[in-house]
Amino acid sequence: MSLHPVVQAVTERIRQRSAGPRADYLARIEAARETSPARGRLSCGNLAHGFAASEDDKPRLRAVHAPNLGIVTAYNDMLSAHQPFRFYPELIKMAARNAGGSAQVAGGVPAMCDGVTQGRPGMELSLQSRDVIAMATAVSLSHEMFDAMLLLGVCDKIVPGLLMGALSFGHLPAIFVPAGPMPSGLPNAEKARVRQAYAEGKATRDELLAAEAASYHSAGTCTFYGTANSNQMLLEMMGLQLPGTSFVAPNTPLRDALTVAAAERACAITGQGEAYTPIGRTLDEKAIVNAMVGLAATGGSTNHAIHLVAVARSAGLHITWDDLDELSRATPLLARVYPNGQADVNQFAAAGGLPFVIRELLDGGLLHPDIACISGGDLYAQAREPWLHDGVLKWRDPPLHSGDATVLRPLSDPFDAEGGLRCLTGNLGRAIVKVSAVKHEHRSIQAPVRIFNSQDEMLGAFKAGVLTGDFIAVVRGQGPRANGMPELHKLTPALGVMQDRGQRVALLTDGRMSGASGKVLAAIHVVPEAVCGGGIARLREGDVVRIDSDAGVFEAAVDAAHWAAREPVLPDTSGNRHGVGRELFGLMRAHAGSAEEGGSAMFTEG
């Protein structure tokens, strides 16, 4: 199948736009390449420090003949998705020894849970934690002891941060090693019902907690299709995980076999061998386009409209929301996983999962097959599922047909002709909207605005019963420079209640919604943000605003001359500077780029 013309055009546009920075990046990683174990360049004192505590691996490390793997781990035992990583290092070390190499834990990175911090002040550290993780990854690898890296991370900011840090060492091969989803718990429809009932005062806190505890109940990744599970999809689309590994349950023989295989493969693709596969060359413009197509085809998290930009920049590539919009409009929606449907990722995997999706998109010309996957094959070889045959790890082709057409469909019969993400442009600036979970009749609105300076202020108005009629809720002062750009997920139940009552409602914000954003139209990530004097700061209570996701427009119905003469109302951010560590992140807030630039404070050299 020939490549889809939109995929081809967007890829070429990215290549041309990025020519200078990408060439500089590739030159840097080529200069850093090692054709013998990296630790061989260290002085005797440096090296002795590097293997002093390595016990059984000390002779091999001292001899400087075999590859040494650096493990960067996001393990902690509070975060359910990362708790299974506790035993991975010993398993990886054993596998590396059997492959003739060695492995060391290079370092750890922080891993906060958005599920714990939702609606709390700590959420204001969430996006900025991605940059901290990137820097911590770089610190972990800075000892120059390693010939490849195994990256243990799953959740929201952790995978993008690990990727950004790893790309600073782009001459090294990198394999991501996931932990897998927890078993299915309370059905998603029931969880959503209880949340909405609680928002209406029709369920008690005890009833809500019981529902949440039945949903999030054991080790493993949360099973809805939010940012964490979107991360796993992106890694497979970019060839940075072994095929079909994303949604294999933790603490199972198959999961352990995949971890062992990842370590063995990492030993085989270092600069000392013929299968050298550095991450800086694997993650090229084709891989990034594959990731954007995968995001659209599966209705993935809006957070990646920020993260993918930052990841691409780390590899010398420049992508924009226009690229994402164009690819999304050319990509049919093949999956319905909560919040875009009622199924969870375990049901999605059982129906055929990512191998099925990758094969369908490849056959339709919507993905680049010729990327350098860490598994050694092209993307067609990535479209396989792992299994154990008499205890031996093998891969097989995905099923020819979906196992559940309510969850997963072929390209010939998609849920929607277009993917789930849109870019909006107008006199309010630019924004992202996710429509895959929004019914067609709710994908556009023209209504007066109600303006709030925080999500708590809006929820207070909802509880007071003053949010009547049709309106667009504007929650401003929520961007990267204002307060770190927290997710506003706790607004979802209240907005859903009003929509179900028959009100036409929408959200407009320079903040983020979570990967669990749902059925209510939400124009998010607005740039320029309010604290920078963007159009959202020029809005006044009662202004009529039009949001049309199909047309890609959002604008205030205000006379152009009057609009230009209006002074922006800059938000008061004094209450967001202290508490739960926020005082330590002032420098990052002050230097953060816009959401469309990746929301990062690290790209100071342009």
Side-chain angles (χ1 to χ4, degrees):
M1 181 72 180
S2 60
L3 197 63
H4 192 289
V6 170
V7 174
Q8 191 167 23
V10 171
T11 306
E12 183 58 30
R13 191 165 67 221
I14 294 169
R15 182 184 292 115
Q16 292 179 9
R17 185 193 298 139
S18 309
R22 179 65 174 172
D24 290 344
Y25 175 78
L26 292 177
R28 291 198 304 272
I29 67 172
E30 182 60 32
R33 180 185 176 180
E34 301 282 357
T35 56
S36 59
R39 63 192 183 279
R41 293 202 303 182
L42 299 180
S43 73
C44 292
N46 296 150
L47 185 56
H49 278 288
F51 63 62
S54 294
E55 299 175 343
D56 293 344
D57 289 321
K58 188 179 292 189
R60 186 175 282 115
L61 288 166
R62 182 171 183 159
V64 196
H65 295 316
N68 185 36
L69 309 180
I71 303 167
V72 181
T73 179
Y75 165 74
N76 66 52
D77 63 7
M78 182 207 72
L79 189 54
S80 65
H82 290 174
Q83 187 266 359
F85 288 142
R86 176 182 177 185
F87 299 109
Y88 277 34
E90 290 308 313
L91 195 59
I92 290 167
K93 290 178 183 182
M94 177 271 294
R97 291 179 194 123
N98 291 342
S102 56
Q104 296 173 296
V105 175
V109 302
M112 66 177 289
C113 180
D114 290 1
V116 176
T117 57
Q118 282 286 357
R120 305 296 302 162
M123 173 54 79
E124 296 181 17
L125 304 184
S126 176
L127 179 59
Q128 294 165 346
S129 78
R130 182 198 62 193
D131 290 4
V132 174
I133 292 162
M135 291 185 282
T137 302
V139 171
S140 299
L141 298 169
S142 66
H143 299 96
E144 299 183 274
M145 286 282 293
F146 311 111
D147 306 296
M149 46 185 144
L150 292 174
L151 304 168
L152 314 187
V154 177
C155 286
D156 296 19
K157 314 309 166 298
I158 293 93
V159 164
L162 287 168
L163 258 178
M164 292 163 70
L167 286 164
S168 292
F169 293 78
H171 62 290
L172 297 179
I175 299 179
F176 278 80
V177 189
M182 67 178 66
S184 300
L186 187 73
N188 287 308
E190 177 62 11
K191 176 177 67 177
R193 185 197 68 77
V194 177
R195 284 178 174 176
Q196 196 156 308
Y198 181 75
E200 293 182 276
K202 296 178 180 178
T204 67
R205 178 179 170 85
D206 285 345
E207 289 170 330
L208 177 63
L209 181 57
E212 299 289 0
S215 300
Y216 310 115
H217 59 91
S218 71
T221 315
C222 304
T223 59
F224 67 89
Y225 195 51
T227 311
N229 287 316
S230 296
N231 280 336
Q232 303 309 298
M233 176 275 299
L234 295 175
L235 291 171
E236 290 206 35
M237 290 283 178
M238 295 188 290
L240 295 174
Q241 283 185 173
L242 291 177
T245 58
S246 292
F247 305 131
V248 175
N251 305 315
T252 60
L254 179 56
R255 179 85 272 164
D256 289 347
L258 288 166
T259 301
V260 168
E264 293 171 344
R265 184 62 188 165
C267 288
I269 61 176
T270 69
Q272 293 88 61
E274 296 182 358
Y276 178 48
T277 313
I279 186 176
R281 290 195 176 275
T282 297
L283 205 153
D284 61 6
E285 65 276 2
K286 291 181 179 180
I288 285 288
V289 166
N290 285 354
M292 290 192 283
V293 169
L295 194 65
T298 58
S301 170
T302 54
N303 280 325
H304 287 298
I306 302 173
H307 297 325
L308 278 175
V309 175
V311 167
R313 262 184 105 169
S314 300
L317 299 166
H318 180 199
I319 63 174
T320 71
W321 287 349
D322 292 323
D323 300 329
L324 184 58
D325 181 279
E326 197 169 332
L327 290 168
S328 185
R329 291 179 184 273
T331 303
L333 182 67
L334 303 186
R336 284 214 179 278
V337 190
Y338 187 82
N340 303 328
Q342 294 307 319
D344 65 18
V345 293
N346 293 314
Q347 293 165 283
F348 168 70
L354 287 178
F356 182 95
V357 170
I358 293 171
R359 186 196 63 204
E360 289 294 308
L361 294 172
L362 281 167
D363 288 348
L366 287 160
L367 294 175
H368 292 281
D370 54 335
I371 63 171
C373 301
I374 54 91
S375 59
D378 63 7
L379 198 60
Y380 271 106
Q382 189 78 357
R384 295 178 297 160
E385 59 183 28
W387 65 300
L388 290 177
H389 178 66
D390 293 333
V392 177
L393 178 63
K394 294 182 178 295
W395 274 270
R396 59 192 175 196
D397 291 335
L400 291 175
H401 306 286
S402 168
D404 187 343
T406 68
V407 179
L408 183 63
R409 290 188 183 176
L411 203 64
S412 59
D413 183 29
F415 291 103
D416 201 313
E418 298 184 2
L421 297 174
R422 300 278 187 277
C423 177
L424 307 179
T425 305
N427 62 4
L428 288 164
R430 287 163 67 79
I432 287 291
V433 63
K434 178 178 176 179
V435 297
S436 50
V438 179
K439 292 181 178 179
H440 284 275
E441 61 265 29
H442 296 308
R443 291 185 180 182
S444 65
I445 186 174
Q446 182 163 316
V449 299
R450 300 292 303 270
I451 297 178
F452 306 98
N453 296 305
S454 71
Q455 56 184 333
D456 288 330
E457 188 178 323
M458 184 195 144
L459 288 174
F462 170 73
K463 291 174 182 177
V466 298
L467 296 182
T468 58
D470 299 345
F471 70 96
I472 296 172
V474 175
V475 184
R476 60 192 182 191
Q478 307 299 308
R481 289 201 174 187
N483 62 355
M485 207 179 188
E487 291 178 343
L488 308 177
H489 179 43
K490 73 177 185 178
L491 297 179
T492 301
L495 289 166
V497 167
M498 289 184 283
Q499 183 168 279
D500 289 351
R501 289 175 180 169
Q503 294 174 250
R504 290 188 60 80
V505 295
L507 176 67
L508 175 63
T509 181
D510 49 7
R512 294 184 294 133
M513 289 293 281
S514 96
S517 54
K519 63 186 182 182
V520 176
L521 185 66
I524 60 177
H525 305 177
V526 173
V527 295
E529 62 176 287
V531 79
C532 295
I536 191 172
R538 295 175 184 269
L539 285 171
R540 303 292 187 266
E541 186 83 8
D543 282 345
V544 173
V545 164
R546 173 190 171 214
I547 302 174
D548 189 329
S549 61
D550 291 327
V553 170
F554 78 136
E555 58 189 7
V558 179
D559 174 75
H562 184 56
W563 181 255
R566 272 189 187 176
E567 287 295 321
V569 178
L570 301 184
D572 177 9
T573 61
S574 60
N576 306 101
R577 296 174 184 168
H578 302 281
V580 294
R582 287 177 290 178
E583 56 271 21
L584 303 177
F585 287 77
L587 188 66
M588 298 181 79
R589 288 192 297 272
H591 293 278
S594 73
E596 191 170 9
E597 295 170 327
S600 175
M602 296 197 302
F603 301 113
T604 58
E605 296 179 352

